[in-house]
Amino acid sequence: MNFWEHVGLVGNYYKDKIGPILVSSGCQFSKPLFYPDNITVEVRLEFIKTTSLGLYHRILNGKNELSAEAHDVIVLYDFAKNEKVTISDELREAMEKVQKK
C-alpha cells in the first residue's frame, strides 16, 4: 500500500476509479514465520509494460533473515469501465523514482 500511495495511485482511484488490480501472485517460503513476530516486507519494481507491472517482495523475519520471496503481476485497471488502462509516462516515472529511493 505504501508503494501505491507514494506513486499516487490511491488518490487516482478515489478521483478516477483507476487503480491497481492483482493478476497473479506467487510466494516461496524458505523459513517459517511465527506469530507473534515483527516482519519486514521489502518491495522492488521488476518491470513495467504497457498496462502491467511486476513487483518482487522479500519477506524478512524478526531476526532479519529471509523467510520468503514473492512475485506479483499487477494491471492498471479502470474499475468504472471494467478495462485495462495504459500506464502513463507520469505514473511510470513516479514508480521508477520511488524505486530509486
Side-chain angles (χ1 to χ4, degrees):
M1 288 305 297
N2 289 339
F3 183 78
W4 303 134
E5 288 175 0
H6 282 22
V7 299
L9 279 176
V10 173
N12 284 353
Y13 176 76
Y14 288 113
K15 186 178 87 174
D16 301 324
K17 298 297 182 223
I18 293 174
I21 190 167
L22 183 64
V23 173
S24 68
S25 184
C27 186
Q28 296 293 321
F29 285 85
S30 54
K31 288 188 180 210
L33 294 170
F34 297 98
Y35 180 84
D37 197 359
N38 292 314
I39 67 168
T40 301
V41 179
E42 300 172 347
V43 180
R44 176 176 50 86
L45 186 62
E46 283 191 295
F47 65 84
I48 305 175
K49 294 185 178 179
T50 305
T51 60
S52 65
L53 59 109
L55 296 176
Y56 167 74
H57 310 275
R58 285 175 25 106
I59 303 169
L60 308 173
N61 64 20
K63 296 177 185 175
N64 210 36
E65 300 168 326
L66 181 64
S67 290
E69 294 178 282
H71 299 271
D72 295 335
V73 176
I74 310 292
V75 166
L76 190 59
Y77 197 77
D78 185 325
F79 289 90
K81 296 180 182 177
N82 291 320
E83 63 186 21
K84 296 187 286 184
V85 176
T86 299
I87 297 172
S88 69
D89 290 338
E90 275 182 3
L91 181 56
R92 184 180 302 269
E93 289 172 14
M95 286 189 281
E96 290 170 348
K97 183 178 177 182
V98 167
Q99 179 63 44
K100 291 178 184 177
K101 288 184 179 182

